[in-house]
Amino acid sequence: YIISGIIVGVILAAVTLFVPIYISTFTSTKCGVLETFLLSVHSVIRLFVVDGEFQFITDNLTDLSSGVYKGYTILFSILFVTAPVLTFGFVLSFFKNVNSTMRYLANYRSDVFVFSELNEKALVAVESLRKKNRLFVFTGVSEENQEQNHELLEKAKELGAICFEKEVAAVDFSGHSKKSDINIFVLCEDPSRNVEQALLLVEKYKYRERTNLYVFSTQIESEVLLASAFSNDNGPVKIRVRRVNEVQSLIFHTLYEDGYKNIFHSARDVGGAEKEINAVVIGMGRHGTEMTKALAWFCQMDGYCLRIDAFDVAKDAKEKFEASCPELMEFSGKLDIPGETKYTIEIHSGVDVDTVTFEKIVASLPETTYVFVGLGNDECNITTAIKLRTQFERMGRKPVIQAVVYNTGKKEALTGITNFKGQSYNIDFIGDRKTTYSEKVLLHFEAEAEALRRHMKWGSESDFWKYNYNYKSSVASAIHRKLKKQCGIAGIEKAPSERTQQELLAIRVLEHRRWNAYMRAEGYVYSQSTDPASRNDLAKKHHCLVPFDKLSPKEQAKDDD
């Protein structure tokens, strides 16, 4: 638009300058004004196609004063250079767009992976997704920021991607082969734009089969807005919409892939019936809060007891956490209720990790077995993780330490780091972009596929993707089922009908404990009645948030895992 505006401005300026040259010639004719205007336009056209003659200008300005003459010639000199340059730029831009369109059409039958923006995250995703018979398209690639985006554009070219200047919702992919997939990733640097673009895309491709829309957003409003986009449908919705919460995805992937090894293998054997999982969470931002909630349900397991100590510099950290999940904190420390959750959660508010106060509190805790560091930026996370390893070494303790690091280069460089004596820090750095935006996590997360199979026993596939409540609860269930197998829970490998009564009861009780912890972590509270009619999901009230033996036989049977 800016280039077009400049071209129009140059045309108007040139016409204005040519008018005085021709007007003296045609003042006496009947159509002098029209002839003057048309010939001025003709001269401007010649100017843009490098066919203008500067001598014609100087020959017809002889009657002007020297000052005006000099001003005219300077202005015309600028126009004689500017106009051809603009012409060249316009033609180059035109052929560039044509080239992109032709390349897209040439890959008519390929699966298409479209990204709403050309940025580092999108490029990392393309590097992981790149395979034969796949076409990659970046949209919203503005010509205005060529210098700023030069490095990104060069990487896009290396990956063989096509770049369109129009925004993703303005490019029409509806004519693509019906036998091929269209995968659209709404992944803008500005999170607020993601939902805006997604709503337009849902409306555009709502009834197209083999269309997958991935909307990256951690905002709660995104689920409500995307769900509303499916209202008043004129037919069965074909598009599959997945809201990708990058924080939630990281925590789920971490627990599913290595949770048993990192958290349960490191549990402390104190010689009793149960081993201790003593977890420390550093930082109660998005990552720390999500991990604290997840640990509460993930670690519900026979033969283990859980304690979580979470730290944050904010003085109101505990109040905020309690407000988001009141009953989760209410049941903290209540370890002797049969068929109920078993955990202790302590939030240490107003504690800076760089103070002696923090070190003293950590030293006073039961022996720490697992640490999660999520302070919000790579530098703080790396520094704190190394500092903690030093402190635990002084105390003769060796907990598993995981720290969030976004930068892939830093993560790879830090893998296996040692001190000058060759002693390993044994810190697991997680959450880098290369992993977060990999095909394995985005498209083929094993727990997600299992979660869909579990959800389909009682719901529809469209509702699985449409509502985060269904998606998240089913994935959490799938993650814990894998953990039950790893922990050797008797009968878990059998179908419910094949289990002994002892196995059936034990699994049901354990699964209900996990479910209670999960629902409370999501902010649900007891509805004060066991009547199913008292359930109110808008109020986050559920009638089943009671010990297992308080459930009806029908509700108990639902806890078969």
Side-chain angles (χ1 to χ4, degrees):
Y1 293 109
I2 293 177
I3 293 176
S4 299
I6 294 173
I7 291 174
V8 170
V10 170
I11 290 173
L12 292 175
V15 169
T16 302
L17 289 174
F18 273 113
V19 165
I21 295 176
Y22 287 107
I23 196 166
S24 59
T25 305
F26 298 103
T27 49
S28 59
T29 63
K30 291 182 179 180
C31 300
V33 175
L34 178 61
E35 290 172 316
T36 297
F37 174 74
L38 292 176
L39 286 173
S40 296
V41 171
H42 175 263
S43 295
V44 171
I45 292 173
R46 293 183 63 189
L47 194 67
F48 273 88
V49 297
V50 200
D51 190 36
E53 295 181 4
F54 197 77
Q55 186 176 349
F56 170 78
I57 306 297
T58 56
D59 289 346
N60 286 277
L61 293 177
T62 53
D63 296 335
L64 297 177
S65 63
S66 60
V68 175
Y69 177 87
K70 187 175 182 180
Y72 253 86
T73 54
I74 291 174
L75 288 173
F76 265 116
S77 298
I78 295 172
L79 290 176
F80 264 75
V81 174
T82 304
V85 170
L86 289 173
T87 300
F88 177 76
F90 175 78
V91 171
L92 189 64
S93 175
F94 172 78
F95 279 108
K96 180 181 177 182
N97 290 327
V98 169
N99 180 53
S100 296
T101 303
M102 294 301 293
R103 285 185 60 201
Y104 167 69
L105 293 174
N107 290 273
Y108 172 73
R109 297 189 181 278
S110 300
D111 288 338
V112 183
F113 292 78
V114 182
F115 292 84
S116 62
E117 194 173 275
L118 175 58
N119 54 45
E120 289 288 352
K121 295 177 181 179
L123 285 169
V124 170
V126 171
E127 287 178 352
S128 175
L129 293 165
R130 191 166 48 157
K131 289 181 181 178
K132 287 184 178 180
N133 300 320
R134 286 182 175 181
L135 176 66
F136 297 97
V137 177
F138 292 106
T139 61
V141 184
S142 175
E143 294 286 341
E144 301 168 30
N145 300 317
Q146 281 281 1
E147 289 187 18
Q148 181 180 348
N149 296 332
H150 178 71
E151 187 175 344
L152 297 176
L153 284 166
E154 287 301 311
K155 288 182 180 179
K157 289 178 182 177
E158 290 175 10
L159 294 170
I162 296 173
C163 295
F164 285 112
E165 189 170 355
K166 291 181 179 179
E167 292 195 341
V168 64
V171 181
D172 189 8
F173 297 100
S174 58
H176 198 71
S177 172
K178 298 292 189 291
K179 296 180 179 180
S180 302
D181 291 339
I182 296 179
N183 303 280
I184 306 176
F185 298 83
V186 186
L187 185 56
C188 300
E189 292 290 357
D190 179 4
S192 62
R193 294 188 64 236
N194 287 345
V195 178
E196 296 173 9
Q197 296 279 2
L199 292 173
L200 295 172
L201 290 164
V202 168
E203 192 60 33
K204 192 169 187 177
Y205 301 107
K206 189 182 292 186
Y207 306 114
R208 187 191 185 279
E209 294 182 345
R210 305 191 66 159
T211 305
N212 306 301
L213 177 62
Y214 298 83
V215 185
F216 291 75
S217 175
T218 58
Q219 300 170 340
I220 296 176
E221 67 165 5
S222 62
E223 180 181 1
V224 179
L225 290 170
L226 287 171
S228 68
F230 290 92
S231 60
N232 301 320
D233 296 321
N234 297 320
V237 174
K238 302 295 179 63
I239 190 173
R240 190 184 79 167
V241 179
R242 175 184 164 187
R243 187 174 74 96
V244 183
N245 182 324
E246 292 146 291
V247 175
Q248 175 185 295
S249 178
L250 169 61
I251 301 305
F252 277 177
H253 189 265
T254 299
L255 295 178
Y256 185 77
E257 295 294 332
D258 300 307
Y260 174 71
K261 179 186 71 175
N262 290 329
I263 299 172
F264 283 80
H265 265 194
S266 63
R268 183 178 173 223
D269 191 346
V270 291
E274 295 182 325
K275 293 182 178 181
E276 291 182 352
I277 297 174
N278 298 318
V280 169
V281 176
I282 309 298
M284 290 300 286
R286 293 185 302 168
H287 288 91
T289 297
E290 190 71 32
M291 179 56 88
T292 300
K293 292 179 178 181
L295 287 172
W297 57 260
F298 181 75
C299 295
Q300 295 301 308
M301 186 58 61
D302 293 338
Y304 295 86
C305 63
L306 170 67
R307 176 188 173 96
I308 304 173
D309 286 272
F311 295 83
D312 197 274
V313 71
K315 293 182 179 180
D316 59 354
K318 183 175 182 179
E319 291 183 10
K320 286 184 176 180
F321 188 79
E322 287 180 336
S324 68
C325 45
E327 276 200 5
L328 187 69
M329 293 300 289
E330 182 183 326
F331 278 81
S332 171
K334 296 181 179 180
L335 308 177
D336 300 321
I337 305 174
E340 255 295 357
T341 53
K342 295 181 180 181
Y343 57 82
T344 300
I345 300 176
E346 185 66 39
I347 308 295
H348 303 270
S349 303
V351 179
D352 191 326
V353 295
D354 293 323
T355 63
V356 174
T357 300
F358 170 75
E359 292 183 357
K360 288 181 178 179
I361 294 174
V362 170
S364 69
L365 298 175
E367 184 172 332
T368 302
T369 61
Y370 173 76
V371 180
F372 178 84
V373 184
L375 290 170
N377 69 73
D378 290 354
E379 183 179 355
C380 289
N381 292 341
I382 295 167
T383 302
T384 302
I386 291 174
K387 177 184 174 182
L388 282 168
R389 178 57 75 202
T390 299
Q391 181 177 351
F392 285 122
E393 280 290 319
R394 288 174 183 167
M395 296 187 290
R397 302 174 183 177
K398 298 184 182 296
V400 171
I401 299 178
Q402 289 189 306
V404 178
V405 172
Y406 303 101
N407 187 287
T408 299
K410 286 184 179 180
K411 185 228 173 164
E412 292 176 348
L414 290 165
T415 300
I417 54 170
T418 63
N419 66 1
F420 70 101
K421 287 284 189 178
Q423 295 171 293
S424 175
Y425 284 99
N426 287 321
I427 299 172
D428 182 19
F429 296 100
I430 60 175
D432 67 296
R433 288 176 175 172
K434 187 174 182 179
T435 302
T436 301
Y437 301 101
S438 66
E439 179 168 5
K440 181 178 180 180
V441 174
L442 292 179
L443 304 186
H444 303 301
F445 182 27
E446 188 178 326
E448 185 179 272
E450 174 61 25
L452 178 57
R453 284 192 289 271
R454 296 165 78 80
H455 172 83
M456 292 293 285
K457 294 178 181 179
W458 60 270
S460 66
E461 182 175 356
S462 61
D463 282 346
F464 176 79
W465 301 109
K466 185 177 178 181
Y467 297 107
N468 192 54
Y469 172 87
N470 296 330
Y471 174 87
K472 188 176 181 181
S473 62
S474 296
V475 172
S477 175
I479 290 172
H480 204 263
R481 180 176 174 79
K482 178 183 178 181
L483 180 65
K484 291 186 182 84
K485 292 179 180 179
Q486 292 172 318
C487 289
I489 298 300
I492 193 63
E493 296 281 7
K494 303 176 185 177
S497 61
E498 298 173 352
R499 293 169 184 161
T500 66
Q501 283 300 310
Q502 185 178 359
E503 291 170 343
L504 195 65
L505 179 60
I507 290 173
R508 285 178 175 178
V509 172
L510 176 56
E511 175 57 16
H512 187 67
R513 283 173 50 195
R514 184 221 50 100
W515 183 86
N516 275 1
Y518 172 81
M519 293 296 283
R520 288 173 183 143
E522 290 298 293
Y524 274 76
V525 298
Y526 177 53
S527 66
Q528 304 301 321
S529 171
T530 55
D531 182 2
S534 67
R535 175 176 175 175
N536 186 336
D537 288 280
L538 194 60
K540 288 194 171 183
K541 296 170 67 175
H542 205 293
H543 61 286
C544 290
L545 282 169
V546 293
F548 182 79
D549 60 5
K550 299 294 184 183
L551 295 172
S552 67
K554 182 180 179 180
E555 294 293 351
Q556 288 181 348
K558 291 181 179 179
D559 284 312
D560 284 334
D561 189 30

